[in-house]
Amino acid sequence: MVYNLVPADRLSRTFAALADPTRRAILARLAQGETSVTELAEPFAMSLPAVSKHLKVLERAGLITRGRAAQWRPCRLNAAPLKEAAEWVEHYRRFWDESLDRLDTYLQRLQAGKKDDGEPR
C-alpha cells in the first residue's frame, strides 16, 4: 500500500500552531480577509508583542503570510497547510469509520444469534 504522506515536519508545525486557541482565533479572523497586526490584536487581552509571537508561529507553520505596504503589515491566511492536515486526519477518519462499520456488522450478527462465519448457533 502506498501512502500519500505530507512531510512530517510541516505537518507537525501545522498541528503545533493549531494547538493554541489564540492562534486558532487569529486564523478564524484571517479567514474573513487580510488585516493588520493591530486589528488582529484588538480582541485579545495581551500585548502587541505577544500577538506578534503568535503570528511568528503561524508564519513558520506556513499558515499565514505577512506583507508590507508602507507602515501597514497586512496578514493573510494561507490555507494550504490546513488542507494537508485535513487530508491526514481524513485518512484516520476513514479507518475508524470502516472499523466501526465492521464492529456494527459483527454485533448485528451476534444479536441475530449467528456465529462469525454466518452459521446459526
Side-chain angles (χ1 to χ4, degrees), residues 23-37:
R23 292 192 286 267
R24 290 192 305 270
I26 290 170
L27 291 176
R29 169 53 190 90
L30 289 174
Q32 299 170 11
E34 74 179 26
T35 189
S36 70
V37 174

Side-chain angles (χ1 to χ4, degrees), residues 2 11 18-19 21 29 31 45 51 57 70 76 84 94 111 113 121:
V2 177
L11 190 60
L18 293 173
R29 169 53 190 90
V51 171
V57 171
R76 286 178 212 84
E84 292 168 357
R94 282 193 308 269
Q111 289 174 343
R121 291 183 187 239

Side-chain angles (χ1 to χ4, degrees), residues 41-54:
E42 285 175 5
F44 303 107
M46 63 179 72
S47 67
L48 202 54
V51 171
S52 289
K53 287 182 182 181
H54 284 292

